[in-house]
Amino acid sequence: MERFKFILFRPLQLLPVLFGVSVISFVMVRSIPGDPVRLLLGTRATPEVAAKIRAQYGLDEPLMTQYLLFLKNLFQGDFGRSIVYKTSTFNVVAERIGPTVFLLAYVLVMAILITLILSTWAARRQGRLPDVIVRSYSMVGLGLPTFWLGIILIMQFSIALNWFPTSGYGESVAENLYYLFLPAVSITLALSPVLIRNLRASLISEMESDYATAARSRGMSENGIYFSHVLPNSLVPAITLLGINFAWLIGGTVVVEQVFSVPGIGQLMISSIFARDYLVVQLITLVVAIAVIAVNFIVDVLTAVIDPRVHL
Amino acid sequence: MRAARLLLSVGFLKNNNLTLVLGIFLSVCWVVIAIFAPWIAPYDPIAQDVARTLQPPSFAHPFGTDNFGRDVLSRVIWGSRVDLAMGLGGVFAPIIIGCTIGLLAGYFGGIIDTLLMRFLDITISFPFFILMIAIISILGPGLMSFFIALALVGWVSYARLVRSRTLVLRHSDFVAAGQILGFSSIRIMFRHVLPNAALPVLVFIMSDVVLTILLGSSLSYLGLGVQPPLAEWGIMIAEGQNFISTAWWITLFPGLAIVILALSFSLIADGLAAQYKVSE
């Protein structure tokens, strides 16, 4: 159980990162052009009211005190008020996070399945037609813009064939699987090439390794070698890469939510930017950064569970 | 410089490296199209013609016309200037900042390394795209904000790459020789260590150009990048989205242009990696 010790210590190593994340998002909102009080109150507020609000929010304090106040508010779950929705930003973001999480999970499942199937198909027929097809796809796919792909899918499958809705979000899980199918496909098609290239390469190098040859000489079947040795050994780098790409995945979600009008936090972020609702933008940035840190922590744990050689 | 010399050396066409040749050929084509856009494009990319709106592809307009009657082919050709400039210009600052940070961290080690790497951990834990959007929302949309935001967040991969190479190279004989000869650290780092790390960096630059083009066009699509009426592929796709049920050509062709431009740089990256056995 020695190797699971880091599950306890790793979060401690993440503390400086969390601290840095909070500093950056604090600086970000403080560097917005214009007076936050004016944004909050509108232009009609009298100087006295403005001064009162400024004192109330601690905006007349030195920057260091302001940062500490910001931290204190964070820990108390007070993230400020949205100037557009007239309620706490926490409620605004919490309401919109469902569709995004659903879409992310959908894409993850889809991308993992496609990557496993196509990489296996290509690696086990290396140099032959399936391999050529998969390699061409993973080459061209690297440069696929998700937003364009989404629009092309809408043209084909929503407008021409009328199989899927062009936009929106459902009520139940089954409905969501249907509504978010095209958005998930367009992100998956752009994400999987990176994963396929990596997994295919490590599958091939594992297949050619000495232990695989040894297993072959003992008369083990190719299927047996593949599923009990080659595939498990190739999974660790693939999982690490998936973890690294999680950050990219969130970016892809923001764009695709816009294309398909999915009411998630990506769409909220873009509309908040145009509405100058900066506290919402700040909270989303913070939430997403923490999600990325959490996912990478989970990836670390997973790698250690799968591969006994990993120590952190 | 060494990488450029290596590229031009005779070895560059050996092993029938079709990937590399095709990639360079396509990229050169795009550069030529971008430079000679005013002469190649059959129409003015922003001239509106109300008599010829939403026309399907024809002999006069091979890619059709958009809702303002502008020729889509001409706009795709002019767009190559903006998208190529975004891709090639966008990686410039990240390369310089990233290589410098990577060299400093790897060469000096110790407290400098620890501090720089903690800084890198923080930057990297922000999702790239979200951080870009947040920075641009403060700076205001536009090409300049795009470059500044990229400079602030794009350096991390270069820093990691160069640092890991420098950690290895630091212990090599030529560095020791340079130190004995009394060369300054800066000279050793930039003149001796960096050129030896140039190939993996060059391969990464090519894939980074692909990512930057996608990033730039996505931001323009969202309205946070280049602003209309400038012909840029992401903007064209955003404008075409309103007409997908009637005029597919407005959206299709700029997207294909992005795919082909991105593909040419991906091919170069792959070809270079195969040619010089650089592992990604």
Side-chain angles (χ1 to χ4, degrees), chain A residues 28 139 148 151 197 259 273 288, chain B residues 127 133 138 221 251 255 266 270:
Chain A
M28 223 174 70
M139 191 77 218
W148 177 72
I151 298 172
R197 284 162 69 90
V259 176
I273 286 174
V288 168
Chain B
I133 293 181
I138 293 168
Y221 167 79
T251 320
S266 300
D270 251 35

Side-chain angles (χ1 to χ4, degrees), chain A residues 13 16-22 24-25 27-29 31-33 136 139-140 142-148 151-152 154-155 159 166 197 244 247-248 250-252 254-255 258-260 269-270 273-274 276 278 281 284-286 288-290 292-293 296, chain B residues 19 118-119 121-131 133-139 141 160 210-211 214 217-219 221-224 233-234 237-238 240-241 244-245 247-249 251-256 258-259 262-263 265-268 270 280:
Chain A
Q13 287 175 8
V17 175
L18 279 173
F19 169 73
V21 164
S22 74
I24 292 183
S25 55
V27 170
M28 223 174 70
V29 167
S31 46
I32 293 160
S136 314
M139 191 77 218
V140 176
L142 287 177
L144 280 178
T146 44
F147 58 101
W148 177 72
I151 298 172
I152 298 294
I154 292 178
M155 276 187 198
I159 293 172
T166 55
R197 284 162 69 90
I244 294 171
W248 179 90
I250 290 183
V254 171
V255 184
Q258 200 71 8
V259 176
F260 289 90
M269 182 169 187
I270 302 295
I273 286 174
F274 286 114
R276 307 191 145 264
Y278 291 111
V281 178
I284 293 176
T285 318
L286 212 56
V288 168
I290 290 170
V292 169
I293 293 171
N296 283 314
Chain B
T19 320
R118 279 291 92 78
F119 184 47
D121 283 346
I122 294 165
T123 317
I124 228 166
S125 65
F126 270 107
F128 194 79
F129 196 72
I130 302 284
L131 192 53
I133 293 181
I135 295 171
I136 289 174
S137 74
I138 293 168
L139 298 173
R160 273 192 164 177
V210 176
L211 289 177
L214 290 179
S217 56
S218 303
L219 286 169
Y221 167 79
L222 294 173
L224 293 165
W233 298 334
I237 294 171
Q241 198 181 358
I244 42 172
S245 47
W248 49 268
W249 51 89
T251 320
L252 183 74
F253 293 112
L256 285 179
I258 297 179
V259 174
L263 178 65
F265 286 99
S266 300
L267 286 171
I268 296 184
D270 251 35
E280 280 178 68

Side-chain angles (χ1 to χ4, degrees), chain A residues 72-89:
Chain A
K72 184 173 148 255
N73 287 341
L74 275 191
F75 281 110
Q76 289 175 342
D78 177 8
F79 304 99
R81 284 171 64 84
S82 154
I83 53 168
V84 172
Y85 298 92
K86 309 285 180 214
T87 169
S88 87
T89 53

Side-chain angles (χ1 to χ4, degrees), chain B residues 27 61 136 148 193:
Chain B
S27 313
H61 299 278
I136 289 174
I148 294 174
V193 177

Side-chain angles (χ1 to χ4, degrees), chain A residues 186-201:
Chain A
S186 46
I187 306 178
T188 304
L189 286 180
L191 170 69
S192 50
V194 186
L195 304 176
I196 290 173
R197 284 162 69 90
N198 179 278
L199 186 58
R200 175 190 164 275

